[in-house]
């Protein structure tokens, strides 16, 4: 029977799907129907089950009960190849880039182009350029080792890889989390173009603006269950938040997280006469950033704004001792120090870092959540050179509870947590061992709407306690909402400083004009 508007073709169906990890029920009798040629969003808190549901469709998760169907055909649980043969392509928040291979080789992993059985490098380069054009992002250099590219550029390679196999269904897990405004807009256009060509898109996202722009239908997950599925505009943003968090928590959250306007977290003016806790003069990293000056006062949050590739993350890494070729002058509380050449040297100066790549550079994934929180200061939980586990657990429990991290799971390995809970571990590390200066690179990447407000408030509270905080984020609205001042960088150079005047909000237009080089900051 031919389908009609009232009888759409079901591209993907989850029927009573369940999945248990030990004592944790990740999915419980989930029913979701995804229509062909639409964009269907899965939303919910970290750990609500949405990414696990995505994994069942991708063949990545061997679910315990129920059925997943792709265009009416039952999918074998946990079989990646079977899912791929069914036309499923998946892009995960965790990057699968091979660092030593060049960009083009990464795009064609598993789909090598050849002529007469011989690898055709020229054909792959030609197709690579076509894919870049399809995404409207410009050409990421094809011959550059992928490990040298930014996280955003690596994520674009993942997206291009998914397009190589001409999929019927593409699964996106937080695809825009590390992209700046320009790159994010290009991604949205690419997704809209795929939908017009009849490709079915399933997207996990915490970004409500993204969901409202792209999604034809939305399914809300809470505690492993699919709570409600609605068409575009059927439920308000406030109603969706309440469905995600429950009625009471939803009401509490609506007043303090990103809804129709930026988070209003800024709590008090910084003393303009206070001496800087951190001063950096003439910071340069060869080939990336040049001659950048900045200062941060106790109790201040300094935002760093710029497009992907502007050098904003390199700036933070250099101050944190993660860029050995960095040079410049650094002062802490007015005292000049030798430039930190290692992360350990920076820590001795009282500088902490939340890195952009939480899995590769932030966490020891095979260690417990408690161990990862205490990693910055194991001595505090030691006696006679021996770590006292009960003392450590008590100390980290206090820090993690401030972020609503489930303290009952502190003994679990860190690789078993959702991306958002992993990010909470990094923030809890610095609540446990407060630094003089905290550098936060993409601190809300992969964080759900409830946790996002909690984390930003934690940064503000640390600043209120006298810590100097520097924040880099692709979410420009968050930078403007939480920062006292914003330093704009473009092409590795400082474009100027935008300061808050009284209660006046920092203007996004001013930051974007400076970032694009359209207007100098007075």
């Amino acid at each position: 029977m031919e389908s009609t508007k009232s009888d759409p073709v079901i591209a993907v169906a989850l029927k009573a799907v369940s999945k248990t990890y030990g004592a944790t029920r990740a999915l419980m009798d989930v029913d979701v129907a995804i229509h062909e040629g639409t964009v269907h969003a899965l939303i919910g808190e970290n750990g609500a089950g949405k990414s696990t549901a995505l994994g069942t469709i991708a063949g990545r998760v061997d679910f315990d009960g129920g059925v997943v169907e792709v265009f009416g055909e039952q999918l074998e649980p946990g079989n990646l190849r079977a899912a791929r043969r069914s036309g499923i392509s998946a892009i995960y928040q965790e990057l699968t880039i091979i660092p030593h291979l060049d960009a083009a080789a990464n795009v064609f992993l598993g789909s090598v182009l050849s002529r007469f059985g011989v690898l055709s490098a020229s054909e792959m380069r030609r197709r690579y350029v076509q894919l870049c054009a399809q995404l409207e992002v410009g050409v990421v250099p094809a011959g550059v080792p992928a490990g040298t590219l930014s996280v955003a550029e690596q994520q674009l390679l993942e997206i291009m890889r998914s397009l190589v196999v001409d999929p019927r269904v593409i699964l996106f897990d937080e695809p825009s989390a590390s992209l700046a405004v320009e790159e994010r807009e290009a991604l949205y256009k690419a997704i809209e173009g795929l939908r017009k060509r009849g490709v079915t898109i399933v997207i996990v996202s915490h970004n409500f603006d993204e969901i409202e722009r792209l999604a034809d239908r939305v399914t809300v997950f809470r505690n492993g269950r699919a709570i409600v599925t609605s068409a575009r505009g059927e439920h308000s943003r406030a109603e969706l938040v309440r469905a995600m968090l429950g009625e009471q928590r939803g009401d509490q959250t609506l007043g303090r997280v990103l809804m129709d306007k930026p988070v209003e977290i800024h709590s008090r003016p910084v003393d303009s006469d206070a001496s800087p806790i951190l001063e950096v003069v003439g910071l340069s990293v060869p080939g990336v950033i040049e001659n950048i000056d900045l200062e941060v006062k106790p109790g201040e949050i300094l935002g760093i704004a710029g497009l992907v590739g502007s050098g904003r993350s390199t700036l933070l890494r250099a101050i944190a001792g993660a860029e050995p070729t960095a040079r410049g002058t650094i002062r802490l509380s007015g005292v000049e120090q030798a430039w930190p050449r290692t992360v350990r040297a920076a820590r001795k100066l009282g500088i902490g870092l939340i890195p952009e790549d939480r899995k590769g550079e932030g966490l020891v994934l095979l260690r417990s959540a408690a161990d990862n929180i205490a990693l910055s200061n194991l001595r505090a939980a030691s006696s006679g050179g021996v770590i006292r586990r009960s003392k450590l657990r008590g100390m980290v429990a206090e820090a993690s509870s401030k972020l609503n991290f489930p303290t009952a799971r502190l003994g679990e390995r860190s690789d078993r947590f959702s991306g958002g809970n992993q990010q909470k571990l990094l923030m809890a590390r610095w609540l446990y061992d407060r630094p003089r200066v905290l550098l936060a690179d993409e601190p809300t990447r992969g964080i759900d709407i409830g946790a996002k407000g909690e984390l930003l408030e934690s940064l503000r509270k640390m600043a209120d306690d006298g810590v100097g905080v520097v924040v880099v984020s692709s979410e420009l609205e968050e930078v403007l909402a939480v920062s006292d001042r914003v330093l704009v960088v473009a092409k590795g150079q400082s474009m100027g400083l935008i300061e808050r005047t009284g209660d006046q909000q920092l203007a996004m237009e001013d930051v974007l004009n400076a970032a694009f080089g359209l207007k100098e900051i007075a």
Side-chain angles (χ1 to χ4, degrees), residues 467-490:
V467 176
V469 179
V470 186
V471 175
V472 164
S473 176
S474 298
E475 300 284 349
L476 185 54
E477 297 91 344
E478 293 176 11
V479 173
L480 297 180
V482 78
S483 301
D484 302 291
R485 298 182 298 158
V486 174
L487 176 68
V488 183
V489 293

Side-chain angles (χ1 to χ4, degrees), residues 18 129 153 156 338 426 460 516:
S18 297
V129 172
E153 289 169 326
L156 292 172
L426 291 178
R460 183 69 261 171
F516 282 105

Side-chain angles (χ1 to χ4, degrees), residues 267-302:
S267 60
R268 64 174 179 79
V270 176
D271 183 359
S272 59
D273 296 327
S275 299
I277 193 169
L278 170 69
E279 295 175 90
V280 172
V281 179
L283 172 56
S284 298
V285 175
V288 186
I289 57 177
E290 181 180 357
N291 200 33
I292 290 180
D293 301 340
L294 65 84
E295 65 175 37
V296 186
K297 296 179 179 180
E300 177 182 27
I301 296 181
L302 175 69

Side-chain angles (χ1 to χ4, degrees), residues 158-221:
E158 297 261 11
I159 295 169
M160 287 190 281
R161 185 192 296 162
S162 75
L163 299 178
V164 170
V165 296
D166 196 22
R168 302 168 77 185
V169 179
I170 301 181
L171 314 176
F172 288 94
D173 190 0
E174 295 285 355
S176 67
S178 62
L179 303 183
V181 175
E182 184 180 19
E183 289 81 9
R184 190 171 296 172
E185 184 64 25
L187 171 66
Y188 294 166
K189 289 180 179 179
I191 289 176
E192 289 165 345
L194 290 167
R195 175 173 52 190
K196 289 178 182 177
R197 295 201 294 273
V199 178
T200 303
I201 307 292
V202 185
I203 182 169
V204 167
S205 177
H206 294 118
N207 186 324
F208 268 83
D209 291 331
E210 181 170 279
I211 292 163
E212 290 173 348
R213 169 166 174 173
L214 296 175
D216 301 293
R217 286 160 60 84
V218 177
T219 295
V220 177
F221 281 77

Side-chain angles (χ1 to χ4, degrees), residues 134-153:
Q134 184 175 337
L135 287 177
E136 301 179 15
V137 295
V139 179
V140 178
V144 172
T148 65
L149 300 174
S150 68
V151 173
E153 289 169 326

Side-chain angles (χ1 to χ4, degrees), residues 183-471:
E183 289 81 9
R184 190 171 296 172
E185 184 64 25
L187 171 66
Y188 294 166
K189 289 180 179 179
I191 289 176
E192 289 165 345
L194 290 167
R195 175 173 52 190
K196 289 178 182 177
R197 295 201 294 273
V199 178
T200 303
I201 307 292
V202 185
I203 182 169
V204 167
S205 177
H206 294 118
N207 186 324
F208 268 83
D209 291 331
E210 181 170 279
I211 292 163
E212 290 173 348
R213 169 166 174 173
L214 296 175
D216 301 293
R217 286 160 60 84
V218 177
T219 295
V220 177
F221 281 77
R222 186 174 77 239
N223 297 330
R225 298 183 182 276
I227 300 300
V228 64
T229 295
S230 63
R232 186 201 299 263
E234 185 176 343
H235 289 96
S236 69
R237 188 181 288 199
E239 289 171 329
L240 292 176
V241 170
R242 290 191 182 98
M244 286 169 53
L245 306 180
E247 195 70 28
Q248 183 176 0
R249 285 189 63 213
D251 288 339
Q252 293 172 351
T253 300
L254 290 175
R256 60 180 175 80
V257 300
L258 280 170
M259 294 299 294
D260 295 316
K261 57 184 179 180
V263 188
E264 295 184 2
I265 289 176
H266 186 71
S267 60
R268 64 174 179 79
V270 176
D271 183 359
S272 59
D273 296 327
S275 299
I277 193 169
L278 170 69
E279 295 175 90
V280 172
V281 179
L283 172 56
S284 298
V285 175
V288 186
I289 57 177
E290 181 180 357
N291 200 33
I292 290 180
D293 301 340
L294 65 84
E295 65 175 37
V296 186
K297 296 179 179 180
E300 177 182 27
I301 296 181
L302 175 69
I304 308 293
L307 306 179
V308 171
S310 62
R312 57 190 188 179
S313 292
T314 301
L315 191 157
L316 258 61
R317 287 173 54 82
I319 299 171
E323 293 287 345
T325 61
R327 61 180 184 270
T329 300
I330 187 169
R331 300 185 188 94
L332 276 299
S333 299
V335 179
E336 186 170 336
Q337 307 285 347
W339 190 272
R341 300 294 175 188
T342 65
V343 173
R344 177 175 292 183
R347 276 298 300 124
K348 288 182 178 179
L349 295 176
I351 299 172
L353 173 68
I354 298 177
E356 179 182 21
D357 182 1
R358 60 173 166 259
K359 291 193 172 183
E361 298 180 343
L363 298 171
V364 183
L365 294 173
L366 299 184
R367 302 295 298 180
S368 71
D371 287 347
N372 271 282
I373 293 173
L375 193 61
S376 61
N377 188 2
L378 290 171
R379 290 183 179 179
S382 301
S383 179
V386 178
I387 296 175
R388 304 300 178 186
R389 306 302 302 184
S390 59
K391 183 177 181 181
L392 182 149
R393 186 177 180 87
M395 294 175 70
V396 301
E398 182 181 356
S400 61
S401 65
K402 295 177 181 178
L403 293 166
N404 285 328
F405 182 90
T407 54
R409 300 183 66 188
L410 283 170
E412 293 185 32
R413 276 179 16 184
S414 298
D415 62 346
R416 295 177 179 172
F417 291 102
S418 65
N421 276 330
Q422 288 177 344
Q423 195 74 3
K424 286 184 179 182
L425 293 181
L426 291 178
M427 184 66 204
R429 178 182 297 168
W430 302 116
L431 293 176
Y432 160 80
D433 180 31
R434 196 184 81 170
R436 298 166 73 184
V437 176
L438 178 61
L439 312 173
D441 194 356
E442 300 288 356
T444 62
R445 182 174 179 241
I447 294 292
D448 64 65
I449 193 169
K452 184 174 290 189
E454 294 164 356
L455 194 143
L456 292 175
E457 286 175 350
S458 293
L459 289 176
R460 183 69 261 171
K461 287 176 181 176
M462 288 189 76
D464 289 345
D465 287 340
V467 176
V469 179
V470 186
V471 175

